[in-house]
Amino acid sequence: MNWKFLFRIALADAKTQWGKLFLFISSIVLGIAALVAINSFNDNIVKDIDRQSASILGADIVVSGNKSLPANLSPALNAIPGQKASEYELLSMAYIPKNEGSQFVRIKALEGNFPFYGKLITQPETASKDFKANGTVLADKAFMRQFSLEPGDKIKLGDEDFIIEGRLMNNLGAGNLASGFAPIIYIPFDKLESTNLVQPGSMIDYAYYHQVPKEFDANLWKEENKQAFRQESMRINTIDDQRENLNEAFNSLNSFLNLVALVSLLLGCIGVASSVFIYVKNKISSIAIFRCLGMKSNEAFVIYFLQILVLGILGSVIGAVLGSAVQLFLPKVFGEFLPFQVVTELSWPSIIQGLSLGLIITVLFALIPLLEIRKISPLRTLRSNFSEEGTGTRDPLVWMCYLAIIVALSIFLYSLTGSILNAAIFIVGILLAFFVLYLVSQLIIRLVRKFFPRHWSFVLRQGLANLYRPNNQTQILLVSLGLGTTILSTLFIVQSLILENVNAMDAGAQPNMILFGIETNQMHDLKNKTKSFDMPIVEEVPIVTMRIEGWKGRTKKEWLADTTANVRRWAANRETRVTYRDTLDSSEKLIAGEFVGNIENPGDSIFISLDEGYAENLNIGLGDEMVFNVQGMLLTTYVSSFREIEFASMRTRFFVLFPRGVLENAPQFQVLVTKAPNEDVMTKYRTEVVKAFPNVSVVDLSSILTTLNDILKKISYAVQFMAGFSILTGLIVLLSSLILSKFQRVRESVLLRTLGASRSQILKINATEYLLIGVLAAFTGILISILASWLVVNFQLDFEYKIRWMPILLVFLFIVLMTLFIGLWTTRDVVNKSPLETLRKDIQ
Amino acid sequence: MINNNENNVDVLDLKALSKIYVSNERELTVLNDINFTIKKGETVAIVGPSGSGKTTLLGLCAGLDKASSGTVKLYGSNLGSLNEDERALLRNKNVGFIFQNFQLIPTLTALENVTIPLELQGASQVKEKALELLDRVGLMDRSSHYPNQLSGGEQQRVSLARAFSNEPKLLFADEPTGNLDGETGDKIEQLLFDLNKEKDTTLIIVTHDMELAGRTDRVIKLKSGKIVSDTLNK
């Protein structure tokens, strides 16, 4: 094979075609750009996690739990050399005298020089050190902005007044979103007691921080002590754990982003395949001449393969450059979700990976139409209407291409998701969508042919007939547009359902305030206060905290030591908050056994009711025995029923429910649920409650919902940003398919013009064809997306599925109008120029 | 193997050649029992009314299509026993084409069009040879023009230059003047015969034009797929 010559011909032939081939390039640019941007972002995040794990954790070893350190563990902890610090964390109300405001906050009482790595960033800078010496506090910057607070202003926590030393600008250990629910206030450790917030039953998290010398192996210490700490429900975290946790948390985001990129790439590949298909069609006569002059079929194939290969490389390079530029913006889009700073730098491995994957898939998709070149007969030079037999589906090489595409995509998907099943589901889904769209296009062609409306006007008949005439674009456009519609519409349906579910929680009849930490003797006054505001007592719930001691005749320790027993550690170790009542409430449903509401005589067997999922986690069945430790006293109970709890409703909910007549005299606190009619009443009520009962926490559910809504909005913004790649690629595919395929229609349009068709007639003929294709593609795509979103909502999100027609209608109109607009835009050449000019230019 | 070294060998030898197309399970016999031989240096016209099978015969002789039965031997090689690539090689080495609708590659310049057969042969001094031929057909100054920048007559002259560029032993011309006006057609005709004489080529022309046919040594007349006469011009 004379490669030099073939390359020269490929170049000579391409140089007059740059316009058409540019569309081919643009089909792949965005897909590759999305892939490179996301992979670079991912690569940088992995590096940042490595770099910042120590400063995020703030220490080498952190021991934490929801109780203070048991005496038996002290020796092990004291044996750790180096610096130590500790922190108590509890949720409480803050009262702001300046504007009589109040807010549910997360109080962190700090002792020692934590953080050992990284630092608390404050304004003024010295505040991070001074607050401990001055007995003042650091307050979250967003909280201070909300209440117009400045350093020097006062804040009341429990019984103690504090002066704010400075603004807290960063948040160690947790994402920025967590502080949206309860802003953080740092107080000196020695001031905690005077707040009187630490009471029996208070929910406090304890953390012990250690910085160790270099020669000390923190992971080894963890290995040696893990078991003992676990048995006391205390967690140990090292920097390596932190790194692993962050990587794991980020992996889901990364998988999602990569799937979006893959979808863009796939759409781009459809664009590649369709533009090459039409390009080859336009080249048939040239190829026949080459063949007639003695060129071998493989040589003819090589000429066009070289063109596509070079353009594929060019497109991938442009995509990689664009992707590297786009990744600079990704931290701005996703930064809110990440508990660390992302540094953006060029990631060569990602660029190379994106380039190679893009090129492989592009070449494979382009090969399918390119292989047809080998079958083009030289006889076409003598008879332009000659058609080859046995091409296409019977060519084993074409099937090998399809197989190679599936294999390449499967490998890539597997590397993304780490699960063969997920990769298979995605591949099968895409194949099914392709298949359905292909079937629909075939069906349409047949139906239009069979039931052709012969009495319609000439213009409409011409437009309709374009759907099935030789060289029609029905299949290619229906598949590419339909797939684009499916992706877009699925995205919008799922997004609207998520947002709707969140909003439903805030619906009018739901209570919107929960007060907890109420001592039993405060309940009477608090109820009166609530009634004085004309607010209902929706729920009044006593809560007793206890721990599980054992079940089914074995202690908790024995269960947890048994690796064959399918018992979840969190379920066994958690401090159980229990209530007692004689009825089930409206958010609960009895699904097995019998609910017992009262114990008649002291000493009778105690029958309790468990949440079904919770029982499953502990491997407990109906009738099984459970032993609880209630403030040192052991209580043996029997499980008599299972309940299903509706978690979406705004009520208190309990995994363990006791009957009346058992816990009435146990140490307990009360929870009160009420509903404020509006924001003003809520603010006044909250402020008065905090003033009169400093130990009572008031949680404003509507503000939590607002925060949750904000988070979801940010997430959906991020999702839309990424989906933008798919949408843009889809549009380019649409544009390139239509522009390239206009050459199919140009001869007859010119001929019609020559024969006297008016500009508007030509436009109407084309409009009919593109409108029909747009409507059919959008309609089919939407049907598939309804199925796809139903699957996502039912199997991934566990929501009730409802179709919302608005987003669907918008997607439908968008696709139809874009198809029509781009279709007509591409015909403007034919209608605006004289037939002769177009004849000489385009027929060639 | 292709045997093209001996002077006395038949350039083209057709025996019992038939071509049948099957369409919708109906057979259509386009050529039926065609037999003739063409010697080196002969100029032959194949004439006949539309649908008589002229173009099909040309396609079979040039190895662009396969016969349903019978044999076509080009320089002693049985085309029926060669695969498509082997036939392509044979065409490139021995055959030139001129078409009614010129069949130039629209995306290549006049010069590039002329160089293709030479490039395919891996010949040297390709550009010089092609320019020489363009000069011979009077288009030296249009060498960098694309086909759509040339008139019909000019395009056919480029086509002539291309047809002779690989110094073919056998030249097929399918209605070479059919798309041209009388005056331009005459000029092309003259150029074709001049070049044919200069290059000592065997020439087979398919045409309706009896005047053109009259300039050849021999006229084969087809009707309904059969040879009805095979006569020598005086």
Side-chain angles (χ1 to χ4, degrees):
Chain A
M1 214 178 272
N2 184 352
W3 285 95
K4 219 169 123 188
F5 160 64
L6 294 177
F7 198 81
R8 218 169 35 239
I9 289 287
L11 194 67
D13 182 68
K15 70 185 176 220
T16 54
Q17 316 272 311
W18 289 122
K20 287 180 208 169
L21 293 171
F22 175 75
L23 284 161
F24 160 76
I25 294 185
S26 45
S27 300
I28 50 172
V29 164
L30 283 176
I32 305 283
L35 205 68
V36 169
I38 285 160
N39 276 335
S40 302
F41 181 57
N42 176 29
D43 198 32
N44 283 327
I45 281 185
V46 171
K47 278 188 214 154
D48 287 328
I49 288 175
D50 256 9
R51 274 194 291 253
Q52 297 177 41
S53 291
S55 57
I56 294 166
L57 193 64
D60 291 306
I61 301 172
V62 178
V63 172
S64 57
N66 52 14
K67 61 181 179 184
S68 66
L69 190 74
N72 61 331
L73 297 179
S74 291
L77 210 57
N78 290 336
I80 302 175
Q83 284 201 77
K84 298 173 176 44
S86 57
E87 182 187 273
Y88 284 21
E89 183 186 303
L90 65 157
L91 294 165
S92 176
M93 293 306 287
Y95 171 65
I96 301 109
K98 185 177 176 181
N99 40 29
E100 299 225 311
S102 57
Q103 168 73 40
F104 189 57
V105 294
R106 187 184 303 270
I107 298 171
K108 285 172 178 267
L110 200 56
E111 183 182 40
N113 275 333
F114 180 79
F116 304 122
Y117 306 107
K119 57 178 184 178
L120 289 175
I121 302 168
T122 56
Q123 272 181 358
E125 213 175 303
T126 51
S128 63
K129 296 261 182 294
D130 295 346
F131 83 99
K132 280 182 239 172
N134 297 344
T136 51
V137 300
L138 301 175
D140 176 80
K141 61 174 181 203
F143 164 73
M144 288 184 65
R145 192 170 53 235
Q146 187 190 344
F147 290 94
S148 313
L149 291 169
E150 291 297 324
D153 283 341
K154 276 188 182 165
I155 180 173
K156 188 175 185 186
L157 302 168
D159 292 339
E160 183 76 19
D161 287 319
F162 290 95
I163 289 172
I164 298 172
E165 185 74 42
R167 273 188 194 85
L168 183 63
M169 308 302 286
N170 69 337
N171 180 11
L172 293 173
N176 297 332
L177 294 173
S179 59
F181 294 107
I184 290 171
I185 311 277
Y186 271 103
I187 68 170
F189 190 79
D190 51 21
K191 287 280 181 181
L192 181 62
E193 206 184 331
S194 58
T195 62
N196 277 329
L197 290 172
V198 181
Q199 300 289 338
S202 301
M203 289 176 280
I204 301 176
D205 285 321
Y206 300 81
Y208 303 90
Y209 300 107
H210 290 260
Q211 184 194 32
V212 298
K214 270 194 181 141
E215 60 277 13
F216 187 85
D217 186 341
N219 291 319
L220 183 67
W221 181 86
K222 179 184 172 176
E223 274 313 305
E224 287 168 356
N225 293 282
K226 196 165 68 181
Q227 205 54 36
F229 278 73
R230 244 189 204 184
Q231 283 179 357
E232 291 292 350
S233 305
M234 300 295 283
R235 283 186 306 276
I236 304 173
N237 264 305
T238 64
I239 292 173
D240 285 346
D241 297 333
Q242 175 74 9
R243 190 173 295 137
E244 211 170 288
N245 290 343
L246 286 172
N247 273 324
E248 210 168 283
F250 176 68
N251 268 344
S252 331
L253 174 66
N254 184 39
S255 298
F256 162 73
L257 293 179
N258 264 310
L259 279 182
V260 174
L262 184 73
V263 166
S264 303
L265 193 64
L266 274 180
L267 274 178
C269 287
I270 298 171
V272 167
S274 61
S275 51
V276 173
F277 176 77
I278 292 161
Y279 184 66
V280 168
K281 272 195 166 186
N282 283 302
K283 287 289 174 189
I284 285 177
S285 61
S286 294
I287 294 163
I289 300 169
F290 281 130
R291 299 280 288 119
C292 195
L293 296 175
M295 187 178 276
K296 290 180 189 157
S297 57
N298 286 345
E299 290 173 324
F301 166 78
V302 164
I303 288 178
Y304 296 98
F305 180 74
L306 280 175
Q307 285 184 352
I308 300 301
L309 184 70
V310 169
L311 289 169
I313 293 171
L314 199 65
S316 301
V317 170
I318 296 173
V321 171
L322 186 67
S324 299
V326 167
Q327 70 126 343
L328 299 177
F329 295 98
L330 288 183
K332 290 195 176 71
V333 179
F334 293 101
E336 298 249 18
F337 311 110
L338 304 172
F340 48 85
Q341 289 232 308
V342 185
V343 180
T344 48
E345 51 190 56
L346 276 187
S347 158
W348 287 107
S350 313
I351 291 174
I352 291 164
Q353 195 199 352
L355 278 178
S356 44
L357 182 83
L359 199 60
I360 289 169
I361 294 190
T362 306
V363 165
L364 285 175
F365 271 86
L367 266 180
I368 296 168
L370 276 177
L371 284 169
E372 293 286 302
I373 289 176
R374 298 172 310 128
K375 305 279 170 128
I376 292 170
S377 163
L379 205 55
R380 279 182 180 266
T381 47
L382 295 177
R383 300 191 185 280
S384 59
N385 58 349
F386 176 82
S387 67
E388 292 80 2
E389 287 170 9
T391 55
T393 48
R394 270 184 256 166
D395 188 347
L397 278 178
V398 170
W399 287 107
M400 276 168 69
C401 269
Y402 284 123
L403 190 69
I405 287 170
I406 292 175
V407 170
L409 285 179
S410 306
I411 292 172
F412 179 63
L413 276 165
Y414 175 68
S415 75
L416 273 188
T417 58
S419 145
I420 294 176
L421 184 72
N422 286 347
I425 288 174
F426 193 81
I427 290 279
V428 170
I430 291 270
L431 285 179
L432 268 181
F434 261 102
F435 185 65
V436 168
L437 285 162
Y438 175 77
L439 274 188
V440 168
S441 66
Q442 289 294 316
L443 192 71
I444 300 295
I445 290 172
R446 280 180 185 213
L447 287 179
V448 170
R449 211 173 221 175
K450 191 162 182 188
F451 302 105
F452 194 75
R454 296 188 193 286
H455 56 281
W456 282 14
S457 73
F458 167 72
V459 164
L460 287 178
R461 273 185 287 127
Q462 279 287 316
L464 199 61
N466 280 351
L467 290 178
Y468 65 75
R469 288 201 304 209
N471 295 336
N472 67 69
Q473 314 159 77
T474 312
Q475 278 170 24
I476 285 182
L477 289 184
L478 213 69
V479 170
S480 54
L481 283 175
L483 208 65
T485 311
T486 303
I487 290 157
L488 258 182
S489 162
T490 307
L491 210 66
F492 280 132
I493 294 176
V494 172
Q495 190 185 312
S496 73
L497 275 172
I498 293 176
L499 290 176
E500 209 169 277
N501 260 276
V502 172
N503 289 333
M505 288 180 171
D506 198 17
Q510 297 269 21
N512 56 11
M513 292 186 108
I514 292 185
L515 287 73
F516 66 87
I518 309 163
E519 285 162 31
T520 308
N521 58 14
Q522 294 175 317
M523 200 59 185
H524 178 73
D525 292 345
L526 190 59
K527 273 158 83 175
N528 284 342
K529 168 83 66 197
T530 308
K531 282 175 190 158
S532 74
F533 274 82
D534 253 351
M535 283 161 49
I537 311 289
V538 180
E539 261 192 290
E540 183 189 340
V541 190
I543 291 178
V544 180
T545 55
M546 53 182 77
R547 288 183 179 280
I548 299 173
E549 195 69 22
W551 63 98
K552 285 165 63 171
R554 292 163 83 176
T555 64
K556 181 172 79 182
K557 280 179 191 169
E558 284 168 352
W559 276 108
L560 293 180
D562 180 358
T563 50
T564 60
N566 201 10
V567 167
R568 295 299 177 96
R569 195 162 287 279
W570 70 266
N573 275 337
R574 71 196 296 275
E575 188 180 49
T576 314
R577 296 188 181 96
V578 169
T579 193
Y580 50 90
R581 49 183 145 80
D582 53 10
T583 51
L584 294 180
D585 77 23
S586 59
S587 64
E588 295 171 318
K589 203 166 89 185
L590 187 73
I591 53 167
E594 191 189 339
F595 175 69
V596 179
N598 284 296
I599 295 298
E600 304 296 339
N601 305 304
D604 282 0
S605 293
I606 304 166
F607 295 108
I608 59 169
S609 176
L610 296 188
D611 168 65
E612 188 202 17
Y614 185 63
E616 219 167 83
N617 281 317
L618 290 175
N619 198 7
I620 287 178
L622 281 180
D624 285 343
E625 172 208 82
M626 267 186 102
V627 181
F628 292 93
N629 180 336
V630 187
Q631 321 274 326
M633 198 178 105
L634 294 186
L635 208 60
T636 301
T637 64
Y638 300 92
V639 178
S640 76
S641 68
F642 289 149
R643 289 161 302 137
E644 192 181 86
I645 305 174
E646 188 191 324
F647 277 83
S649 71
M650 278 296 160
R651 300 181 77 94
T652 51
R653 44 191 191 240
F654 298 90
F655 286 146
V656 183
L657 179 59
F658 268 64
R660 283 193 171 280
V662 184
L663 296 173
E664 274 75 355
N665 295 322
Q668 55 193 273
F669 64 91
Q670 310 283 326
V671 167
L672 189 146
V673 180
T674 180
K675 175 170 172 53
N678 56 48
E679 191 75 28
D680 278 353
V681 176
M682 188 181 282
T683 312
K684 268 187 205 154
Y685 174 74
R686 194 169 59 186
T687 307
E688 283 204 20
V689 169
V690 173
K691 257 202 260 177
F693 312 95
N695 60 310
V696 173
S697 293
V698 185
V699 179
D700 170 1
L701 294 175
S702 60
S703 80
I704 288 180
L705 285 172
T706 309
T707 313
L708 196 60
N709 243 326
D710 283 349
I711 294 169
L712 282 169
K713 269 186 198 145
K714 280 174 192 159
I715 292 174
S716 59
Y717 165 63
V719 171
Q720 278 167 7
F721 180 85
M722 291 315 302
F725 276 96
S726 304
I727 297 166
L728 260 180
T729 320
L731 285 181
I732 287 178
V733 172
L734 173 63
L735 191 71
S736 61
S737 302
L738 291 180
I739 287 182
L740 285 163
S741 64
K742 86 169 176 177
F743 298 102
Q744 311 276 19
R745 292 280 167 261
V746 84
R747 280 167 199 258
E748 56 205 56
S749 293
V750 169
L751 207 58
L752 285 169
R753 283 279 276 160
T754 315
L755 294 175
S758 69
R759 187 188 140 90
S760 85
Q761 278 175 316
I762 302 276
L763 280 177
K764 276 181 196 161
I765 290 171
N766 286 297
T768 309
E769 181 186 2
Y770 292 123
L771 187 71
L772 282 168
I773 287 182
V775 166
L776 291 170
F779 183 72
T780 318
I782 283 170
L783 283 187
I784 299 174
S785 78
I786 289 175
L787 177 70
S789 57
W790 183 83
L791 289 172
V792 171
V793 167
N794 272 284
F795 294 102
Q796 293 287 323
L797 301 173
D798 212 11
F799 286 162
E800 190 189 343
Y801 187 77
K802 275 181 278 180
I803 294 183
R804 283 285 159 265
W805 294 107
M806 204 37 144
I808 292 179
L809 188 70
L810 289 178
V811 172
F812 182 82
L813 286 177
F814 176 73
I815 295 291
V816 172
L817 291 177
M818 282 309 288
T819 313
L820 191 59
F821 171 73
I822 295 175
L824 291 181
W825 184 65
T826 54
T827 15
R828 75 198 189 290
D829 263 3
V830 182
V831 292
N832 287 342
K833 290 179 183 166
S834 79
L836 188 67
E837 195 185 338
T838 324
L839 263 174
R840 273 200 72 79
K841 207 174 151 195
D842 282 325
I843 301 278
Q844 279 295 338
Chain B
M1 277 306 293
I2 299 158
N3 180 2
N4 53 7
N5 291 329
E6 295 172 34
N7 277 342
N8 285 332
V9 88
D10 293 336
V11 174
L12 195 64
D13 181 22
L14 275 66
K15 283 213 168 68
L17 191 72
S18 296
K19 179 72 185 177
I20 300 165
Y21 287 108
V22 181
S23 168
N24 293 333
E25 294 176 9
R26 280 182 56 193
E27 287 192 350
L28 179 68
T29 305
V30 181
L31 289 175
N32 189 8
D33 194 27
I34 304 288
N35 295 281
F36 63 80
T37 305
I38 290 172
K39 301 280 182 198
K40 184 173 182 295
E42 259 190 302
T43 54
V44 180
I46 299 174
V47 297
S50 289
S52 58
K54 302 186 298 288
T55 303
T56 306
L57 182 59
L58 181 75
L60 290 172
C61 292
L64 300 180
D65 200 1
K66 279 191 155 186
S68 306
S69 64
T71 57
V72 180
K73 282 188 180 170
L74 190 65
Y75 278 93
S77 300
N78 183 355
L79 293 183
S81 64
L82 303 178
N83 66 24
E84 181 49 50
D85 282 346
E86 287 166 336
R87 293 205 302 270
L89 192 64
L90 186 68
R91 281 198 296 274
N92 183 238
K93 288 239 160 102
N94 300 286
V95 176
F97 284 99
I98 299 166
F99 301 95
Q100 181 178 4
N101 51 359
F102 325 134
Q103 297 288 18
L104 298 175
I105 310 271
T107 51
L108 301 183
T109 61
L111 177 65
E112 285 165 341
N113 265 291
V114 177
T115 59
I116 295 168
L118 290 165
E119 295 268 20
L120 284 168
Q121 280 184 349
S124 58
Q125 295 183 302
V126 168
K127 196 175 169 188
E128 288 76 7
K129 287 178 185 168
L131 282 172
E132 201 179 301
L133 275 162
L134 279 174
D135 192 26
R136 177 68 187 78
V137 298
L139 286 176
M140 186 61 151
D141 55 340
R142 311 296 297 270
S143 63
S144 61
H145 287 216
Y146 286 96
N148 65 353
Q149 296 167 321
L150 301 172
S151 70
E154 286 169 332
Q155 288 191 47
Q156 194 61 306
R157 280 195 274 161
V158 175
S159 176
L160 268 172
R162 183 180 67 185
F164 284 98
S165 68
N166 60 337
E167 295 175 352
K169 296 176 182 66
L170 178 57
L171 185 68
F172 290 102
D174 180 21
E175 300 278 11
T177 55
N179 271 6
L180 303 170
D181 63 77
E183 199 181 331
T184 315
D186 289 346
K187 282 183 187 163
I188 291 292
E189 219 173 280
Q190 192 55 47
L191 198 53
L192 172 64
F193 281 99
D194 288 351
L195 276 165
N196 187 55
K197 204 168 180 186
E198 274 170 37
K199 308 281 180 189
D200 193 18
T201 314
T202 308
L203 175 65
I204 300 176
I205 303 175
V206 165
T207 183
H208 280 108
D209 182 350
M210 291 314 289
E211 204 177 315
L212 173 59
R215 295 185 67 170
T216 60
D217 302 333
R218 178 178 165 193
V219 178
I220 299 173
K221 203 178 270 180
L222 284 184
K223 196 176 177 188
S224 304
K226 283 186 175 176
I227 295 179
V228 291
S229 72
D230 186 347
T231 54
L232 292 175
N233 282 325
K234 285 173 188 167

